[in-house]
């Protein structure tokens, strides 16, 4: 951030060229003179937790990300992305739509993150992973590797929130204790004659039970991303939050940022539901006996805090037979996920082979 609070770029101290973050070298890199400039680090950095209830009561204004970006909103799926100013066209990372950018100022009132995970997978590694992935899998067309043309990839930081909370839960349930009784029945012997036999039958004795428990939740990670885009992002989880570093706009140089689709209050609603479901699971495990029914859990959360952070992802699309297919790659771990076209012939052949095998096994069972 410059002295007047405006966003900025980062000129090379040696030639004046524009620096960008280099994931492979983990330093700022100048593409003109090949200089490498380290980003100042804080070895003792610890992400600051904010009081959630106080924040929701008095939402502070922010001053953007502290780096020059411009706004792009996909007219097809609505994804809102802030990208480097030199970009002239973009493929939407979530629906594969291709748009030429129109001028537009980046949002200045976004909630500034406290920390981030810098990109550690670079453009070259992403392309190598894509090349390997596009040619894998038997159920896909034979010409996919040759015909699937990579249109564009873009490095994006995704908005995440982590939540901490203390949970106090009380529960009631009917606990079921199993026991067995002997039951007589009429059967047939090898000659077909009726005979009296006995067997052990399981019964359940129900009795009321109750209890309580307390648990702490730390760094419950939730992306502030719309459900339509969340599916692909979850496929490249997880991120290693131990490697979080203090937010510095230099890490964003050369990359874009996906704007948060949903506010903090709604993101916390998602996180609290996840924690409440986990509390229900833990309370169910606390019910004595062999089974249970009518479980009722009441959970109260306290000491609720949160952090806002950014996590890296490469988003791209490839074209095959006039159709665009998006994919994403975790910018920290390199895990890739995307949807590829299926070969109708191969899928049909596999289904026929499976059906033939099932009929053959059925025939063997009937003969035995």
């Amino acid at each position: 951030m410059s002295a007047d609070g405006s966003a900025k770029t980062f000129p090379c101290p040696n030639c004046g060229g524009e620096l960008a973050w280099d994931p492979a070298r983990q330093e700022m890199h100048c593409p003109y003179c090949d200089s490498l400039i380290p980003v100042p680090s804080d070895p003792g950095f610890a992400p600051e937790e904010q009081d959630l209830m106080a924040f929701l009561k008095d939402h502070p204004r922010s001053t953007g990300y502290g780096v020059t970006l411009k706004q792009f909103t996909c007219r097809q799926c609505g994804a809102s992305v802030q990208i480097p100013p030199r970009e002239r066209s973009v493929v939407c990372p979530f629906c594969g739509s291709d748009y030429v950018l129109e001028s537009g100022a980046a949002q200045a009132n976004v909630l500034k993150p406290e920390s981030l995970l810098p990109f550690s997978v670079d453009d070259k590694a992403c392309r190598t992973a894509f090349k390997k992935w596009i040619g894998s899998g038997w159920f896909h067309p034979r010409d996919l590797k040759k015909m699937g043309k990579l249109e564009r990839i873009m490095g994006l930081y995704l908005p995440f929130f982590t939540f901490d909370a203390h949970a106090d839960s009380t529960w009631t349930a009917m606990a079921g204790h199993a026991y067995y009784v002997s039951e007589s029945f009429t059967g047939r012997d090898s000659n077909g004659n009726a005979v009296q036999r006995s067997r052990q039958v399981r019964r359940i004795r129900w009795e009321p039970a109750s209890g309580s428990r307390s648990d702490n939740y730390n760094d419950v990670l939730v992306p502030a991303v719309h459900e339509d885009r969340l599916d692909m992002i979850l496929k490249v989880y997880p991120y290693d939050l131990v490697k979080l570093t203090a937010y510095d706009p230099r890490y964003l140089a050369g990359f874009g940022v996906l704007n948060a689709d949903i506010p903090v209050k709604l993101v916390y609603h998602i996180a609290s539901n996840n924690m409440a479901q986990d509390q229900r699971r833990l309370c169910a495990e606390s019910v004595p006996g062999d089974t249970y029914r009518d479980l009722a859990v009441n959970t109260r959360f306290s000491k609720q805090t949160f952090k806002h952070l950014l996590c890296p992802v490469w988003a791209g699309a490839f074209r095959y037979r006039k159709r665009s297919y998006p994919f994403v790659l975790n910018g920290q771990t390199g895990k890739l996920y995307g949807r590829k076209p299926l070969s109708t012939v191969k899928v049909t052949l596999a289904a026929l082979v499976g059906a033939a095998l099932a009929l053959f096994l059925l025939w063997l069972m009937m003969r035995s």
Side-chain angles (χ1 to χ4, degrees), residues 260-276:
D261 288 325
I262 49 181
V264 179
K265 186 175 183 179
L266 183 54
V267 180
Y268 176 67
H269 179 69
I270 297 171
S272 61
N273 279 343
N274 291 343
M275 290 185 285

Side-chain angles (χ1 to χ4, degrees), residues 28-64:
M28 300 289 282
H29 175 242
C30 177
Y32 303 100
C33 68
D34 209 31
S35 296
L36 291 174
I37 310 298
V39 175
S41 61
D42 179 6
F45 167 73
E48 181 182 355
E49 301 280 354
Q50 298 189 53
D51 185 279
L52 178 66
M53 296 299 107
F55 175 85
L56 294 178
K57 184 180 293 187
D58 184 22
H59 192 302
R61 301 287 290 179
S62 186
T63 55

Side-chain angles (χ1 to χ4, degrees), residues 26-138:
Q26 293 290 288
E27 292 185 294
M28 300 289 282
H29 175 242
C30 177
Y32 303 100
C33 68
D34 209 31
S35 296
L36 291 174
I37 310 298
V39 175
S41 61
D42 179 6
F45 167 73
E48 181 182 355
E49 301 280 354
Q50 298 189 53
D51 185 279
L52 178 66
M53 296 299 107
F55 175 85
L56 294 178
K57 184 180 293 187
D58 184 22
H59 192 302
R61 301 287 290 179
S62 186
T63 55
Y65 291 112
V67 59
T68 299
L69 299 167
K70 62 182 179 181
Q71 184 91 0
F72 159 70
T73 301
C74 177
R75 287 169 287 189
Q76 185 71 24
C77 72
S80 182
V81 181
Q82 298 189 42
I83 66 172
R86 283 198 275 180
E87 296 285 349
R88 293 293 177 264
S89 64
V90 63
V91 174
C92 177
F94 299 102
C95 71
S97 301
D98 193 3
Y99 287 106
V100 176
L101 287 173
E102 300 175 359
S103 60
Q107 293 183 1
N109 63 345
V110 296
L111 178 61
K112 188 175 180 180
E114 292 86 21
S115 56
L116 57 69
L117 290 171
F119 271 89
S120 55
V121 178
D122 64 2
D123 176 280
K124 182 179 179 181
C126 181
R127 291 177 183 275
T128 299
F130 169 79
K131 187 176 181 180
K132 180 179 179 181
W133 170 75
I134 195 69
S136 64
W138 188 84

Side-chain angles (χ1 to χ4, degrees), residues 188-204:
R188 299 283 178 178
D189 62 17
S190 58
N191 296 320
N193 300 317
V195 293
Q196 286 296 115
R197 292 177 176 168
S198 65
R199 60 189 170 193
Q200 293 295 106
V201 179
R202 189 173 187 258
R203 297 280 189 262
I204 300 294

Side-chain angles (χ1 to χ4, degrees), residues 228-297:
D228 293 343
R229 292 175 275 281
L230 185 59
D231 178 60
M232 291 187 69
I233 295 170
L234 293 179
K235 293 293 196 304
V236 296
Y237 263 28
Y239 287 97
D240 183 4
L241 299 185
V242 174
K243 297 180 180 179
L244 279 173
T245 187
Y247 177 78
D248 190 310
R250 294 176 180 86
Y251 292 117
L252 271 61
F255 297 94
V257 185
L258 178 68
N259 290 335
D261 288 325
I262 49 181
V264 179
K265 186 175 183 179
L266 183 54
V267 180
Y268 176 67
H269 179 69
I270 297 171
S272 61
N273 279 343
N274 291 343
M275 290 185 285
Q277 288 299 315
D278 189 60
Q279 281 295 290
R280 182 176 180 84
R281 177 185 64 81
L282 293 172
C283 289
E285 293 176 355
S286 301
V287 179
D290 303 291
T291 186
Y292 67 89
R293 70 184 184 192
D294 303 331
L295 175 66
V297 179

